[in-house]
Amino acid sequence: MPSFLPDFELPSDPSKVVRLREATVADAIDFSEVDPQCEEEATTLFFERLQAKEKYSDPKRWTTEDRRFALFMYHLHTTKFPDIPLTYVCDLCTAATGKQVQHTVSVKLADIAADYTPMTGKPVRDVVHEGHAVLVHPVYGADAELMEKARMDILEEEAATEKRARKKRSQLGMLRLLSSLDVPGLAPDASEEERRVKVEQFILDMGAEEFKEFRSKVLEAVADLRHGLKSTFQDGRVLLETPPVRCEKGRDKEGPGLRLQFHFRAFDYIPNV
């Protein structure tokens, strides 16, 4: 019988307690239907399947940071190894030798966990722009899946034509911004999802300088919403960041060190069949 792992709280909402069981071979067979490139879809399925019914909450309503933290906690309680090996290209050594130099470092799980930050206050920040009350919030799992689909569309377009791919990348950038905000005053009686078209038009009507100011306000609020493990968005994908690592040749003794970005995916913790 699969065993349950220790409970933990979601970083964005400590009132939500998550209880997971270990994945089984039967789970692995079911998960095999999901395209390995669809990380967010797999993450949703992973937590829908493995949560205890008495503690269940919708993983599509978890923030992307909640979802990565939950995967990290699953790995922490099921692995026998205290660290993760990561290989990267060292720019300092590459520049010094004139050829590409790779280093492999072992990043301790305990050091990654030490970067944990709880949510400060409620998971929303108020921003005022041109008289409009703008609500800024973290990206949730449902929108992470939408960005994932948009990124897949870009990859398909790049295979066909660069012109269409550039437009798709711009649309992905807009979706990333829309995923973090709402302007209730544009349609007070509608839901956030129903308002999204109006919010998008609200942004599209901005001039370049106004948009620069607006985006700066949103990004500042997003930074203040940091919670869970240190992570970042890159081309519509969520990446975890390591604590600073050092060049093994000692070429960066004076610098702040390098934070490596890496994927932390549900597929990595499903039993192989």
Side-chain angles (χ1 to χ4, degrees), residues 27-199:
D27 294 320
I29 292 173
D30 289 343
F31 292 150
S32 65
E33 297 178 4
V34 181
D35 186 331
Q37 294 190 73
C38 297
E39 299 175 21
E40 297 301 334
E41 181 184 351
T43 299
T44 296
L45 179 61
F46 189 77
F47 291 126
E48 285 178 340
R49 186 74 177 253
L50 300 187
Q51 283 189 82
K53 291 182 180 180
E54 65 271 15
K55 298 285 187 181
Y56 182 86
S57 59
D58 185 358
K60 287 189 177 184
R61 294 300 304 163
W62 297 359
T63 69
T64 54
E65 291 92 338
D66 289 337
R67 288 155 67 94
R68 286 305 170 282
F69 178 71
L71 283 175
F72 179 82
M73 293 300 287
Y74 180 91
H75 177 62
L76 186 67
H77 291 296
T78 56
T79 185
K80 297 178 180 178
F81 304 102
D83 48 31
I84 297 176
L86 295 173
T87 298
Y88 70 100
V89 174
C90 179
D91 292 339
L92 294 173
C93 288
T94 296
T97 62
K99 60 181 180 180
Q100 190 178 87
V101 177
Q102 291 186 331
H103 297 327
T104 297
V105 293
S106 291
V107 182
K108 294 184 181 300
L109 296 177
D111 290 342
I112 296 176
D115 261 340
Y116 176 88
T117 301
M119 174 68 74
T120 302
K122 294 183 178 180
V124 65
R125 297 292 184 269
D126 297 312
V127 170
V128 177
H129 181 78
E130 299 294 326
H132 289 278
V134 181
L135 300 181
V136 181
H137 56 71
V139 176
Y140 292 98
D143 281 323
E145 288 192 31
L146 288 178
M147 282 189 276
E148 181 171 75
K149 289 182 174 64
R151 185 179 59 81
M152 299 286 280
D153 287 344
I154 291 172
L155 294 177
E156 291 181 5
E157 292 290 354
E158 285 177 337
T161 166
E162 176 60 25
K163 184 177 180 180
R164 290 206 304 266
R166 285 198 301 270
K167 184 174 182 179
K168 291 280 188 180
R169 282 195 288 270
S170 294
Q171 291 171 336
L172 176 58
M174 173 63 81
L175 178 56
R176 169 67 185 90
L177 187 61
L178 288 171
S179 296
S180 290
L181 58 88
D182 184 25
V183 188
L186 296 178
D189 297 328
S191 67
E192 181 176 343
E193 185 177 354
E194 292 167 340
R195 267 193 301 271
R196 181 161 289 184
V197 173
K198 290 184 178 294
V199 175

Side-chain angles (χ1 to χ4, degrees), residues 189-217:
D189 297 328
S191 67
E192 181 176 343
E193 185 177 354
E194 292 167 340
R195 267 193 301 271
R196 181 161 289 184
V197 173
K198 290 184 178 294
V199 175
E200 182 174 10
Q201 192 59 52
F202 170 69
I203 296 172
L204 291 173
D205 289 341
M206 294 179 184
E209 288 304 313
E210 181 185 352
F211 175 72
K212 187 184 299 184
E213 178 189 353
F214 176 75
R215 186 171 182 272
S216 177
K217 291 177 180 177

